[in-house]
Amino acid sequence: MTTLQFHSQSRFESDIRFASSTSCSFRPRRNFTLPRRFRPRPPSLHSHSSTSLRPLPRAFSNDPAVTEKPSICTADELHYVPLPNSDWRLALWRYHPPPQALPRNHPLLLLSGLGTNAIGYDLSPESSFARYMSGQGFDTWILEFRGAGLSVQASNLKELKQSADAVSEQIEAIAKSVANEVSPQKQPTGVSGYLSDSEFYFLREDSIGIGTAWDEAKLVAELTEIFMRLSERLSGFLSESQSRLISTKLLDQISKLLEDSQLSERFEEVRIKLANVLEKQQNSVIASQIRDLSQRLVNIIEGGQRSVSPQFIDIQERLSSTIEDFQKQLDLIVKYDWDFDHYLEEDVPAAMEYIRAQTKPKDGKLLAIGHSMGGILLYAMLSRCGSEGREPRLKAVVTMASALDYRCSKPLKVLLPLADPAQALNVPAVPFGTLLAAAYPLASRPPYVLGRLNDLISAEDMMHPELLEKLVLNNFCTIPTKLIMQLTSAFGDKGLCNRSGKLSYRDHLNKSNVPVLAIAGDQDLICPPEAVEETAKLFPENLVTYKLFGEPHGPHYAHYDLVGGRLAMEQVYPCIVQFLSQYD
């Protein structure tokens, strides 16, 4: 028996006795106040013992070289699920029930929030929602969506292992750098949702960078490649209008390099011809034209370099750097090209099918819990199934801090600012985890410049500072702008819609036949209680239960307190267990 197993079983024996002897009504508890200076023994950020690492299951790999999980994974097992027609492999963290736990009939799937990984559900042995639920007998699985946590793009097992280990090291390096007060964007990152130095640098506006050595042949080839990719609309990743916008952006950047010089008028002729060519359907003739125009552009700069004023003497190098940065932008657009509907239509179904195959529930159904965007995905799934007359194959659903209409959430509008499609071309992905890690020292230490940030995550005294720090530094990832843009539809009159805007996910919840428990926190500023309650009202009354946690005089629950707050194990978790047990 490993150290981790010993602690888990002894703790969950008491948890099981507590849950079985506690009657949980769906009304907030009264007459309870949290002492202002309540400070239990702090759990360590590294409480998960390294001795708990086990060999990866056969479901992960039949390659004997792949023998253990990445260090960041504290689950009992780590599985990888291939996405059809993609090189993405989704990570599934699995937690086995202890032998003495009450047997359950359905596995449990946990879905995380926007740009987050599995760590939020398993902060430490003493504060782990995943381990609590497995201790109650549920075979518990956490899905990490594409671009989050240990989910990686890999074509073979060797790449998979290397990428997963690299992500694990990167997450830990960011946390260590902030602890040592080192800027987190200087860490060597670059895979699975974490931007590399060059990618993060590129996201800064008007990035020109340091010039590279002039190489005419190389520059012609790079220009030709960029324009060819745009003429092909990046293999379908960009729409026609987006392709036109992004090509105009590049031409504008080049034009700025040449303004106030004798080259501007000569460039304008090439610019017009390029714009016309890019609007045509790509073929071999157009490819030849693009190569010729790229060569002409380079020749203009090469030939006119001698006649420009000294301040433009570095124009060749600046053009090289501009093209290099633009190439990175195209790569980012392709790399982070997914939205909410990709999660809904591909990631979640693939994970559910895999879990069914592994656990074989008799009725083929799962229990599911979603926090924040994870709950929104469950709502959308029930709505989509209702509109199409399909069976969602879910026995019961719990959502925490989730809604389909966020018009009353002012902080979320600040966190999701990119509503204009043109902005996606300037910032293809938002390095949310890196930005939060960089901001955290300003929010948690004097002079508390960003103190409001902590209030959005956790209410006062509800999460131990050490766990809050681990959550901020380890739980967040890079978010594609396309995903953010679709989620901003939740601020409109129709609520959250599919990518085409034709289907509102609110419209068909009344057709659902799945029991739902909708949980809200009284001081949740990101997903206010009224938003949660309004979404709950869309379900048939006999199938939905709305539960608000928090008291007028405390304790209070903010966005993450429902999962990792001090009192969640005492107040929130048992209510979830009781609800799911009714339908298991």
Side-chain angles (χ1 to χ4, degrees):
M1 179 179 295
T2 66
T3 304
L4 179 57
Q5 289 173 308
F6 175 79
H7 287 306
S8 299
Q9 291 184 12
S10 62
R11 177 167 56 82
F12 286 128
E13 287 173 0
S14 62
D15 291 344
I16 294 168
R17 288 194 296 270
F18 172 79
S20 63
S21 63
T22 303
S23 175
C24 178
S25 63
F26 290 88
R27 295 179 58 85
R29 290 184 57 182
R30 304 295 177 190
N31 303 320
F32 181 91
T33 58
L34 180 66
R36 190 171 182 80
R37 296 301 175 190
F38 175 57
R39 290 288 186 270
R41 181 175 177 267
S44 169
L45 293 186
H46 306 286
S47 294
H48 294 295
S49 170
S50 60
T51 60
S52 66
L53 299 181
R54 302 175 182 173
L56 290 168
R58 301 289 288 186
F60 172 87
S61 169
N62 56 11
D63 185 347
V66 184
T67 56
E68 62 179 23
K69 301 173 297 178
S71 58
I72 202 72
C73 180
T74 51
D76 297 325
E77 295 176 358
L78 177 63
H79 294 240
Y80 273 93
V81 182
L83 273 182
N85 304 316
S86 168
D87 59 353
W88 275 105
R89 301 294 184 267
L90 306 182
L92 274 171
W93 297 32
R94 186 180 191 180
Y95 299 79
H96 287 288
Q100 73 274 19
L102 180 68
R104 303 287 182 174
N105 296 314
H106 299 89
L108 173 63
L109 171 62
L110 305 183
L111 300 179
S112 303
L114 175 65
T116 60
N117 54 41
I119 293 174
Y121 281 123
D122 190 16
L123 283 172
S124 77
E126 295 81 11
S127 182
S128 172
F129 180 66
R131 292 196 174 279
Y132 182 94
M133 296 307 292
S134 68
Q136 301 300 314
F138 296 101
D139 187 353
T140 303
W141 303 70
I142 309 174
L143 170 63
E144 293 188 311
F145 302 107
R146 68 182 79 182
L150 296 175
S151 292
V152 296
Q153 287 179 295
S155 58
N156 56 58
L157 294 170
K158 183 178 180 181
E159 285 184 13
L160 187 64
K161 173 69 169 134
Q162 290 175 343
S163 297
D165 285 340
V167 172
S168 179
E169 292 171 3
Q170 291 158 14
I171 296 174
E172 293 172 340
I174 288 177
K176 186 180 296 184
S177 71
V178 173
N180 297 330
E181 299 188 2
V182 177
S183 176
Q185 64 254 39
K186 300 298 183 183
Q187 291 304 313
T189 60
V191 295
S192 187
Y194 291 86
L195 296 183
S196 67
D197 286 348
S198 59
E199 290 168 336
F200 186 80
Y201 169 77
F202 171 74
L203 293 178
R204 290 185 265 172
E205 291 186 8
D206 299 325
S207 172
I208 297 295
I210 300 174
T212 57
W214 176 265
D215 184 333
E216 181 180 338
K218 178 182 177 183
L219 201 65
V220 171
E222 289 177 344
L223 270 172
T224 302
E225 180 186 356
I226 286 177
F227 290 129
M228 288 291 291
R229 292 178 73 188
L230 288 172
S231 70
E232 295 170 342
R233 291 171 180 71
L234 272 69
S235 303
F237 287 113
L238 294 174
S239 67
E240 182 176 350
S241 61
Q242 288 173 326
S243 178
R244 189 179 300 113
L245 278 170
I246 198 168
S247 59
T248 301
K249 176 180 171 64
L250 174 58
L251 294 173
D252 285 345
Q253 287 181 342
I254 297 175
S255 180
K256 286 182 180 180
L257 295 178
L258 304 178
E259 64 185 0
D260 299 328
S261 74
Q262 299 177 20
L263 308 179
S264 297
E265 293 183 3
R266 296 173 62 191
F267 167 71
E268 195 60 30
E269 178 187 352
V270 177
R271 175 193 179 118
I272 293 172
K273 290 183 179 180
L274 268 172
N276 291 335
V277 168
L278 293 177
E279 290 185 7
K280 300 176 183 177
Q281 184 176 359
Q282 195 274 329
N283 55 43
S284 59
V285 176
I286 292 176
S288 176
Q289 292 176 336
I290 287 176
R291 280 193 295 270
D292 291 343
L293 289 169
S294 298
Q295 183 68 60
R296 281 189 62 186
L297 173 59
V298 173
N299 288 344
I300 287 172
I301 296 175
E302 177 75 20
Q305 185 70 64
R306 305 181 190 90
S307 62
V308 299
S309 61
Q311 70 187 90
F312 292 101
I313 201 67
D314 66 341
I315 197 170
Q316 296 171 335
E317 288 79 6
R318 293 173 65 194
L319 177 62
S320 297
S321 182
T322 298
I323 292 172
E324 182 181 350
D325 283 344
F326 207 81
Q327 226 16 309
K328 292 174 185 176
Q329 182 180 24
L330 299 189
D331 293 340
L332 277 177
I333 289 174
V334 174
K335 181 177 181 180
Y336 292 98
D337 186 74
W338 65 85
D339 56 21
F340 179 87
D341 284 353
H342 283 102
Y343 290 158
L344 177 64
E345 298 165 0
E346 299 175 16
D347 293 36
V348 176
M352 290 178 63
E353 191 60 36
Y354 181 87
I355 293 171
R356 288 191 197 99
Q358 293 295 309
T359 60
K360 297 179 173 55
K362 291 182 179 180
D363 59 1
K365 294 184 179 182
L366 276 65
L367 301 168
I369 299 174
H371 174 256
S372 194
M373 188 192 71
I376 299 174
L377 280 163
L378 294 174
Y379 285 148
M381 179 181 295
L382 296 178
S383 178
R384 179 75 68 88
C385 289
S387 69
E388 299 173 358
R390 291 188 292 112
E391 169 59 52
R393 302 180 76 180
L394 291 169
K395 192 67 176 178
V397 161
V398 178
T399 66
M400 295 186 282
S402 305
L404 293 175
D405 185 336
Y406 282 81
R407 283 176 289 182
C408 58
S409 175
K410 294 180 180 179
L412 193 61
K413 291 181 181 179
V414 176
L415 293 174
L416 303 181
L418 300 174
D420 182 359
Q423 289 178 287
L425 305 178
N426 295 322
V427 187
V430 178
F432 194 53
T434 303
L435 295 175
L436 273 182
Y440 181 74
L442 300 178
S444 60
R445 305 167 190 170
Y448 306 106
V449 178
L450 298 176
R452 187 70 170 168
L453 174 65
N454 287 352
D455 294 338
L456 297 178
I457 297 173
S458 178
E460 185 178 8
D461 287 322
M462 279 299 282
M463 189 176 290
H464 190 279
E466 201 171 348
L467 288 183
L468 179 60
E469 181 176 358
K470 180 178 182 180
L471 181 73
V472 172
L473 300 184
N474 295 270
N475 190 50
F476 297 96
C477 311
T478 295
I479 307 173
T481 303
K482 287 184 68 173
L483 171 58
I484 295 176
M485 286 166 54
Q486 184 176 354
L487 290 177
T488 56
S489 66
F491 300 125
D493 294 337
K494 296 170 63 177
L496 182 67
C497 298
N498 66 350
R499 68 169 64 97
S500 69
K502 296 179 180 179
L503 172 66
S504 169
Y505 289 123
R506 296 188 310 188
D507 290 346
H508 301 280
L509 294 180
N510 61 338
K511 302 174 184 176
S512 174
N513 61 355
V514 177
V516 173
L517 169 61
I519 295 176
D522 66 323
Q523 285 193 357
D524 190 338
L525 302 176
I526 294 177
C527 185
E530 52 267 32
V532 178
E533 188 171 16
E534 286 303 311
T535 299
K537 290 178 180 178
L538 299 173
F539 286 91
E541 188 175 351
N542 64 316
L543 289 177
V544 68
T545 302
Y546 168 72
K547 169 66 177 170
L548 175 65
F549 283 95
E551 297 289 341
H553 302 292
H556 299 292
Y557 285 82
H559 198 62
Y560 279 91
D561 294 326
L562 297 169
V563 177
R566 296 180 192 273
L567 298 179
M569 187 175 293
E570 178 185 341
Q571 295 186 340
V572 182
Y573 301 175
C575 286
I576 293 175
V577 171
Q578 184 191 22
F579 175 81
L580 294 179
S581 297
Q582 296 177 50
Y583 303 100
D584 181 59

